[in-house]
Amino acid sequence: MGVKYTRNSPQNLIAILERRKREVPLVAAAIVTETVIEAQEIQREFLNKATTSYGEYRYGRGRGGSAGRNDTGTMIDGIGWEVERVSRNRIDGRWGWVKGILDYFVYQEKGIGVPEARSLLDSYVVVREKFIARMRAEFGR
């Protein structure tokens, strides 16, 4: 394996590669951040669209933000995101109820006694593909 370079000295090529090496963690962190911010909004949309018969009844009476899981707004407003540099080689991004979860969030999300909302899982399915596409666009392959 080798590298062919033209119009540059080996020192210039090394400088370019060193600069790129320092940029990779910053670019990766920006992609992770962009993705989890988007994931938070997508999860909120899915949760708002996850209707229940009670939600439709409640919303029909002028209560709540939608016929979905948005009566008081606590569950939707509780959805957040965070990005953390765990180590030199690892950046973690999370979304969902990162600051805490109330028991009824689990009942709504997993469908215990009501139809399941699946907002976290469904948002993951959507943003996973977007994340992969962003990483490939930046880093190739």
Side-chain angles (χ1 to χ4, degrees), residues 35-51 65-71 73-82 94-99 105 109 117-124 126-127:
T35 302
V36 295
I37 290 170
E38 183 178 21
Q40 166 193 263
E41 292 307 314
I42 291 171
Q43 183 185 1
R44 287 179 177 167
E45 290 171 16
F46 276 122
L47 194 58
N48 211 29
K49 291 177 186 174
T51 62
S66 74
R69 316 297 165 97
N70 192 2
D71 187 359
T74 302
M75 191 170 174
I76 285 179
D77 292 344
I79 297 170
W81 64 272
E82 61 187 20
R94 291 178 282 288
W95 74 92
W97 298 283
V98 295
K99 301 296 183 204
F105 294 1
E109 189 69 7
R118 295 174 35 124
S119 65
L120 188 56
L121 177 61
D122 289 346
S123 64
Y124 167 77
V126 171
V127 298

Side-chain angles (χ1 to χ4, degrees), residues 53-132:
S53 55
Y54 173 71
E56 290 170 350
Y57 169 80
R58 173 185 38 76
Y59 190 63
R61 298 244 186 281
R63 286 188 43 228
S66 74
R69 316 297 165 97
N70 192 2
D71 187 359
T72 64
T74 302
M75 191 170 174
I76 285 179
D77 292 344
I79 297 170
W81 64 272
E82 61 187 20
V83 173
E84 174 186 14
R85 185 160 188 176
V86 178
S87 69
R88 201 180 83 146
N89 299 323
R90 181 173 159 187
I91 300 165
D92 283 353
R94 291 178 282 288
W95 74 92
W97 298 283
V98 295
K99 301 296 183 204
I101 188 165
L102 300 176
D103 289 343
Y104 84 89
F105 294 1
V106 177
Y107 299 139
Q108 296 284 331
E109 189 69 7
K110 293 190 179 241
I112 302 169
V114 295
E116 62 185 353
R118 295 174 35 124
S119 65
L120 188 56
L121 177 61
D122 289 346
S123 64
Y124 167 77
V125 170
V126 171
V127 298
R128 179 182 182 276
E129 294 304 317
K130 292 181 177 198
F131 176 72
I132 291 170

